[in-house]
Amino acid sequence: MARRTNSSSTGGSPGPRNRTPQPLPRRRRTFGDFVKAFGAFVALLVLLVGVPGALVVAVGWPLPHGAPSVEWLQQEITVGTFIRVLTVIVWFAWAQFTACVLVEMKAALSGVGLPNRVPGAGASQLLARQLVAALLLVGAAAASFTPGLSQLGQSPEGSRHDSVAAAQQTPGGLFGQQQERVAAEAAAAVAEQAADAASQAASRPDGGTAARHGDTKYYRIQPPEGRHHDSLWEIAQRHLGDGRRYKEIYELNKDRTQPDGSKLSEASLIRPGWIMEMPGDAHGGELVEMPDAEPGIPKQAQKQIQQQIRDYAKTGDHQQAGGRQDGGADRGDRDTAHFRVPQQRAGGDHAQERERAASDEAAADSRDGQSSRPAAAESGPAFGLPEALVGAPLLAAGLLGALGRRRRQALWQSALGAVRGHRGMEPPVPTGSAADAQDALLVGADPDGVRLLDLSLRGLAAALAAESRPLPTVYAAWLGGNGDLHLQLAQPAGKPPAPWQLGQDQTFWMLARADAERYEETDTAAPYPGLVSLGTMDDSRLLLNLEAVPGIVSLSGSATDRAAVFASVAAELATNGWSDRMTITLVGFGEDLTPLAPNRLRHLDDIEALVETMEAETRQRRGALGAAGHDSVLTGRTGPAQHTRWAPHLVLLAAEPSPVDALRLAELAADAGRLGIGYLVGTESGELPGAAWEMEITREGKLLAPLLGLELDAQMLPDAQQRAVVELFVEADPEGGPDGPSGSPPFLVDISEQGRPAVYARLVGPYEIIGLETPEGERSPLLHEALALLLLHREGVHPRVLSSALWPRGVTEDVRDALVERLRGWLGTDPDGTPRLGADATGRLTLAKSVVSDLDVLRSLYHEATQGKGVDSRVVRGRLLTDALVLVRGPLLAERPEGRYGWLTHEIIDAQLPLLVADIGLALSAFHLEKDRAEKAIEALNASMNSAPTDERLWNELLRATHATGDEDKVKRLAADLVARSGARGLPPRTEALLDELLPAWRNGAAAVG
């Protein structure tokens, strides 16, 4: 067989690839090499020994033997003085050159790390590098100067060293010129080999027909050279001109019995010695029809190979059309460790649920259970919503949760920031692209999936800690379409703790969704906070663990597409729910993303600042790990300091660094996986020094890493959606304006007698509808829930938001549209014939003003009392506030059916309503205290506390009202009650200050109670 080479046999442009540096072919040392080595040795001997010896003999010690005096400085400058000055300069130059030689020798002989740069050396270090290279060219150490990256699945230590070795193979690296010469000679050998093969084919009796298009050709998988392993992608790249055609080779050979008895069942798993039938247009000197005239192969071996090819050719017409068959040995093959989609468990519960949702009645039944996936069964057009957010369930859930927390924070800061007067209770209603982005987040979010992922990972960490076992290094997590979680380990780590199970091989740990749902909250640090979604493949979602990568992850592609991937990664890392603490450094992009998570995201303008920062942090982490006695951050996270140390630092560098900066980053990243630091770096060319894993984003939205076995539908956050999401966070920022959120409710109703609504729904307390007949059958709960959602969003609800809220597992459009029509028929029309359920210009479903809820009335009454007629009339204000407080019958939608209204977790009404009720109680209390009606004030405050029992403002006002009665015993009892309620946390500072003012001796009573 012809020897496999690293050069492509075609002149076609290379396709996207995940580069594993190729080993350089060895060649025999020539006489010229020995001459060069001897010359380098002599030169080094002269420069390192001869120069200082000559200086000592000819000049002697150039510096004065004592401290200089004033007289010495006044002496005449002679020729001897000038010579001594020059001698000092030569000594300094010699010392610098000697340092360069030592640095280059150390890097060359160790094979680990890049040569350090000697300050100001420049040409001296280059000369030292060339001399050392020439000297060691014929030595045994020269063979170690071109190591490749270790394959996935090997030990993390080996991977770290290999990352640095890969960086050394770049222009300007160690022995760069030598490698170029060797590579050129290898290319010449390949050309000569191809010419020989062509001449041999032409001399055959068949006239060389084996080289013509359409004849069957075979390729024999070559054994690994160094650390490099053959792959179908590289075979297709060399012999078909396009690596993407590896699928054709796979289809020709899958499930066919190989000489060792195993079968090709996955495109990423091939073994040395296997035979691959090639497409008819394959070309190149490595391909053979039969190895009859191959020189250098023993006859016995030739006969064996010939027989193997003949036997293999006979299996071509007998390929099984069924599913994949496993030869048994492939699964444990670590020679070609790739990312592989985990095998899904048998069972069609998820698919059956979606099929049952095909009809309206079955759709109602499908709602009785936990959500396993957002409305993924939704088909048809995007209907105005950005699919980039709809199709990213974990990212959407993180963004939606962070946005809700930001809005709640704004509400509380607005409420507590004012002592008297109006406080804005309504966050701004998004419009335009921001509204579309919010709806897309509501449709796409899978908060239950995020919760189960977090519980599963923390539960695994707790179980391993209980068994005194370290956390295994995890390269990736796969979320299957059925909700199962698969962890792909860097190397086998034994049997996982229950309820985890071994997956398809020793490097997969699997947890079924049903087992994950039995996990409870645990006080354990997040074990793998660096996981981030990259995309989907075969209905499985891949989360790459950036902090575990043994080096740099590079991403090539157009600048726009790269930016969309980087933005998605940054946004998910900043808001995900399975991390505790982390730092995400954005370099050269993403300054406008910082509002998403100011505590996690930081922005640097250039690479210089990044390198300076990371050099300091790398040193600090190495020292901290050594002082703590840990070999990696993973062992530190399961120790006693798990909550205070070892948070990951993930660096996202969108712009391609210069060659010099790339080498500096490669050196920093060599040990990054052990230290909990991850690097994702963009590149235009696809070639980045020190890149352990290389990926490409195509214009079609595919994320490719063929040598890792990845071809994903990429998760991206395009610029337009990025701006819309950031706008949502900026508008919700509590520091965004001096008055906090907007003070005007989005919907006010006529509270006079003439404004009596046609349909009135009571939401504050038990759900009740007045003015409509109760629907019969199983559709009634769905119709009630849909109406409640519309009532809480008077601005309108997107149809896809409605369907995802009612059917979290997914539903078809015809079922959703049928429900909307039933809801429209149930609500009826106004006297003028206008339907009470309509749609606005954007297609969002809206309710007519004749359909009102008690929450709408409550907001309108408070608004009118504090900003309307009640401002100028004290009597009107008191009546309006009293009427408003009467409407409060309990929490929102009390006694709602279990398992329904899950969409309320995305709402902030649970924070708005207590604050609104507290504001009404405070305003009514102030109204009564103006006339010294303390008992009435206390009654209003107690009524408000039924809905807002933890509001500090209500308790403080209750203290003032009780003190106004003049009954000191009541004040003491209330103070004791407050102390008992506060528990170990203690009283808030404002409450303590108020008690000091009203009841100076309260602390003695508190001590007695304690």
Side-chain angles (χ1 to χ4, degrees):
M1 294 290 290
R3 176 180 173 82
R4 179 176 64 84
T5 66
N6 297 325
S7 302
S8 175
S9 56
T10 113
S13 60
R17 61 196 180 104
N18 184 296
R19 175 178 57 83
T20 301
Q22 305 292 321
L24 299 177
R26 298 184 180 181
R27 64 185 183 91
R28 294 182 178 180
R29 306 295 181 242
T30 64
F31 178 75
D33 292 335
F34 287 97
V35 171
K36 291 178 183 178
F38 179 75
F41 174 76
V42 172
L44 286 173
L45 188 64
V46 170
L47 292 173
L48 295 180
V49 179
V51 169
L55 289 174
V56 171
V57 172
V59 181
W61 183 250
L63 298 178
H65 296 282
S69 61
V70 176
E71 292 78 9
W72 181 82
L73 295 175
Q74 293 175 349
Q75 290 179 0
E76 181 182 359
I77 298 178
T78 64
V79 175
T81 304
F82 184 70
I83 292 177
R84 286 184 175 85
V85 172
L86 290 179
T87 303
V88 172
I89 295 175
V90 174
W91 272 109
F92 276 116
W94 173 83
Q96 186 187 58
F97 179 77
T98 303
C100 293
V101 172
L102 293 176
V103 166
E104 295 295 333
M105 287 289 291
K106 176 181 180 296
L109 294 175
S110 67
V112 178
L114 299 173
N116 294 325
R117 293 184 299 176
V118 178
S124 296
Q125 187 162 7
L126 179 60
L127 175 61
R129 181 174 304 165
Q130 298 296 335
L131 292 174
V132 171
L135 176 63
L136 298 182
L137 180 63
V138 297
S144 67
F145 294 157
T146 57
L149 292 173
S150 62
Q151 297 296 312
L152 301 181
Q154 304 300 323
S155 67
E157 290 77 6
S159 299
R160 290 195 296 271
H161 297 322
D162 296 337
S163 299
V164 179
Q168 295 174 339
Q169 299 181 16
T170 61
L174 185 61
F175 307 112
Q177 295 182 359
Q178 173 200 350
Q179 293 180 0
E180 292 176 2
R181 290 195 304 271
V182 177
E185 294 173 5
V190 171
E192 182 181 357
Q193 186 182 64
D196 292 343
S199 63
Q200 292 167 7
S203 64
R204 291 176 183 171
D206 61 359
T209 55
R212 291 199 300 265
H213 178 80
D215 289 334
T216 302
K217 307 181 186 72
Y218 297 92
Y219 176 84
R220 190 174 180 85
I221 305 301
Q222 300 299 310
E225 296 179 6
R227 293 187 178 94
H228 176 74
H229 298 259
D230 215 344
S231 71
L232 293 186
W233 175 278
E234 289 183 323
I235 297 170
Q237 181 66 41
R238 290 194 303 272
H239 302 297
L240 300 176
D242 185 356
R244 292 188 178 93
R245 295 185 63 185
Y246 77 93
K247 294 182 178 179
E248 298 178 30
I249 306 176
Y250 171 71
E251 291 298 329
L252 283 173
N253 297 277
K254 69 176 181 179
D255 296 328
R256 295 170 65 177
T257 303
Q258 293 289 339
D260 62 357
S262 56
K263 298 179 181 179
L264 175 65
S265 60
E266 294 187 26
S268 61
L269 295 177
I270 59 176
R271 288 180 159 198
W274 280 9
I275 298 168
M276 294 290 119
E277 181 179 337
M278 301 293 289
D281 61 336
H283 49 268
E286 296 172 327
L287 302 178
V288 297
E289 182 182 23
M290 283 292 169
D292 301 292
E294 288 293 333
I297 300 179
K299 292 184 177 180
Q300 186 63 30
Q302 283 191 8
K303 292 181 179 180
Q304 182 180 3
I305 296 173
Q306 291 173 17
Q307 187 60 43
Q308 289 177 352
I309 292 180
R310 291 191 186 98
D311 294 341
Y312 189 75
K314 295 176 182 179
T315 66
D317 297 330
H318 303 285
Q319 298 181 38
Q320 298 181 5
R324 294 180 178 177
Q325 297 182 7
D326 196 344
D330 302 350
R331 295 301 180 188
D333 188 359
R334 305 309 305 155
D335 288 341
T336 52
H338 290 62
F339 285 115
R340 308 187 299 283
V341 179
Q343 295 176 343
Q344 303 297 321
R345 292 182 303 114
D349 297 341
H350 192 64
Q352 292 173 5
E353 277 298 342
R354 291 186 177 179
E355 291 179 3
R356 286 200 296 269
S359 65
D360 195 11
E361 294 78 11
D365 294 339
S366 72
R367 187 58 189 81
D368 298 330
Q370 295 293 326
S371 165
S372 62
R373 180 70 173 83
E378 189 89 35
S379 60
F383 206 82
L385 297 185
E387 292 297 327
L389 295 173
V390 173
L394 304 184
L395 170 62
L399 288 171
L400 205 58
L403 181 61
R405 291 189 295 272
R406 184 71 54 83
R407 287 174 171 171
R408 287 177 173 85
Q409 181 184 7
L411 287 174
W412 279 105
Q413 290 192 12
S414 176
L416 298 176
V419 179
R420 290 289 188 272
H422 168 70
R423 286 171 289 270
M425 298 308 303
E426 293 293 330
V429 177
T431 58
S433 60
D436 290 340
Q438 178 173 274
D439 287 341
L441 294 177
L442 290 168
V443 172
D446 184 13
D448 198 45
V450 171
R451 180 183 63 86
L452 290 179
L453 175 62
D454 184 41
L455 290 177
S456 301
L457 295 177
R458 293 180 194 268
L460 173 63
L464 289 172
E467 298 178 5
S468 299
R469 296 172 60 186
L471 286 168
T473 300
V474 169
Y475 278 155
W478 294 88
L479 286 176
N482 56 4
D484 294 347
L485 173 62
H486 302 255
L487 297 183
Q488 187 164 359
L489 313 184
Q491 54 190 359
K495 184 179 180 181
W500 290 78
Q501 307 170 25
L502 283 176
Q504 62 195 50
D505 61 35
Q506 294 290 325
T507 61
F508 275 95
W509 285 5
M510 189 272 290
L511 181 67
R513 181 185 177 88
D515 294 327
E517 289 172 343
R518 288 194 284 268
Y519 268 121
E520 297 180 354
E521 299 285 347
T522 179
D523 186 24
T524 302
Y528 304 111
L531 288 169
V532 64
S533 302
L534 290 186
T536 57
M537 181 166 59
D538 296 343
D539 201 30
S540 293
R541 182 167 300 276
L542 170 67
L543 287 84
L544 180 68
N545 189 8
L546 277 180
E547 67 167 336
V549 178
I552 293 174
V553 179
S554 71
L555 178 68
S556 62
S558 69
T560 302
D561 294 329
R562 289 203 321 267
V565 174
F566 272 89
S568 171
V569 170
E572 184 169 299
L573 287 173
T575 60
N576 72 44
W578 54 87
S579 302
D580 294 325
R581 298 180 304 114
M582 69 168 59
T583 300
I584 307 152
T585 298
L586 312 180
V587 186
F589 86 105
E591 186 174 8
D592 52 346
L593 287 174
T594 52
L596 301 183
N599 295 330
R600 284 192 181 184
L601 290 171
R602 71 174 179 182
H603 177 266
L604 297 178
D605 293 326
D606 52 47
I607 300 179
E608 283 297 326
L610 171 68
V611 172
E612 181 180 352
T613 300
M614 298 314 299
E615 284 178 344
E617 181 162 345
T618 299
R619 287 194 301 269
Q620 186 274 331
R621 290 199 175 213
R622 282 174 178 159
L625 279 177
H630 299 308
D631 58 349
S632 73
V633 295
L634 290 180
T635 56
R637 284 180 187 153
T638 56
Q642 57 181 326
H643 292 291
T644 58
R645 306 171 75 174
W646 322 127
H649 187 167
L650 304 174
V651 176
L652 307 181
L653 174 58
E656 181 171 12
S658 66
V660 174
D661 290 329
L663 293 177
R664 296 169 70 187
L665 286 176
E667 186 173 7
L668 287 172
D671 202 27
R674 185 176 69 93
L675 303 177
I677 303 175
Y679 293 86
L680 178 62
V681 181
T683 173
E684 293 283 352
S685 61
E687 299 288 339
L688 187 69
W693 299 346
E694 290 188 348
M695 301 181 182
E696 180 195 14
I697 179 67
T698 69
R699 296 190 180 276
E700 294 76 26
K702 295 288 186 179
L703 191 68
L704 305 177
L707 295 186
L708 293 179
L710 294 180
E711 184 174 343
L712 305 172
D713 293 321
Q715 179 172 298
M716 306 168 71
L717 186 60
D719 185 62
Q721 283 76 59
Q722 176 183 330
R723 291 196 303 270
V725 169
V726 171
E727 181 181 345
L728 290 173
F729 279 79
V730 171
E731 290 180 348
D733 189 353
E735 307 296 334
D739 300 324
S742 171
S744 299
F747 181 73
L748 296 175
V749 300
D750 185 356
I751 57 177
S752 66
E753 287 293 330
Q754 292 75 22
R756 186 177 297 274
V759 178
Y760 182 67
R762 306 179 73 179
L763 304 178
V764 185
Y767 193 3
E768 181 182 356
I769 297 178
I770 301 171
L772 292 176
E773 295 289 336
T774 302
E776 297 180 358
E778 297 177 345
R779 302 187 186 96
S780 179
L782 280 173
L783 293 173
H784 278 74
E785 188 172 355
L787 179 57
L789 178 62
L790 291 167
L791 286 168
L792 292 177
H793 291 276
R794 302 302 306 222
E795 73 277 8
V797 175
H798 197 286
R800 293 185 69 176
V801 174
L802 178 68
S803 63
S804 66
L806 300 181
W807 295 284
R809 292 187 176 183
V811 71
T812 56
E813 289 186 12
D814 55 344
V815 173
R816 179 198 67 198
D817 295 341
L819 176 74
V820 172
E821 288 304 316
R822 290 192 180 93
L823 181 61
R824 183 176 285 112
W826 180 43
L827 292 174
T829 60
D830 286 333
D832 60 358
T834 303
R836 293 179 181 138
L837 178 62
D840 61 12
T842 65
R844 289 174 171 81
L845 301 173
T846 58
L847 293 174
K849 292 186 177 181
S850 58
V851 182
V852 173
S853 72
D854 55 354
L855 186 58
D856 298 326
V857 177
L858 188 67
R859 289 168 170 162
S860 300
L861 288 170
Y862 178 68
H863 181 268
E864 191 68 21
T866 56
Q867 300 184 54
K869 297 178 180 179
V871 174
D872 300 323
S873 173
R874 185 177 186 280
V875 175
V876 172
R877 182 168 72 254
R879 177 175 56 82
L880 292 173
L881 292 173
T882 302
D883 291 345
L885 201 55
V886 169
L887 288 176
V888 181
R889 302 176 299 122
L892 185 75
L893 294 170
E895 303 174 6
R896 57 180 177 265
E898 184 179 357
R900 295 195 180 277
Y901 298 88
W903 47 270
L904 280 173
T905 58
H906 301 314
E907 307 285 340
I908 63 168
I909 187 62
D910 60 336
Q912 286 178 287
L913 182 58
L915 287 175
L916 177 60
V917 173
D919 271 3
I920 294 172
L922 291 171
L924 189 56
S925 171
F927 171 81
H928 288 304
L929 288 176
E930 288 177 2
K931 295 297 184 179
D932 296 327
R933 295 197 291 262
E935 294 295 340
K936 289 288 187 180
I938 293 173
E939 182 180 344
L941 293 169
N942 284 327
S944 299
M945 285 184 179
N946 291 331
S947 295
T950 61
D951 197 309
E952 176 190 350
R953 300 170 301 155
L954 289 177
W955 285 101
N956 292 347
E957 196 65 20
L958 185 59
L959 279 171
R960 292 190 181 93
T962 305
H963 182 266
T965 63
D967 191 336
E968 187 172 344
D969 291 336
K970 284 186 177 181
V971 179
K972 290 180 179 180
R973 287 195 296 271
L974 181 58
D977 188 20
L978 278 174
V979 171
R981 285 173 176 267
S982 63
R985 294 176 302 173
L987 292 174
R990 292 186 182 183
T991 304
E992 283 193 355
L994 181 60
L995 281 173
D996 289 336
E997 175 189 348
L998 302 179
L999 193 65
W1002 72 274
R1003 298 181 186 275
N1004 297 331
V1009 171

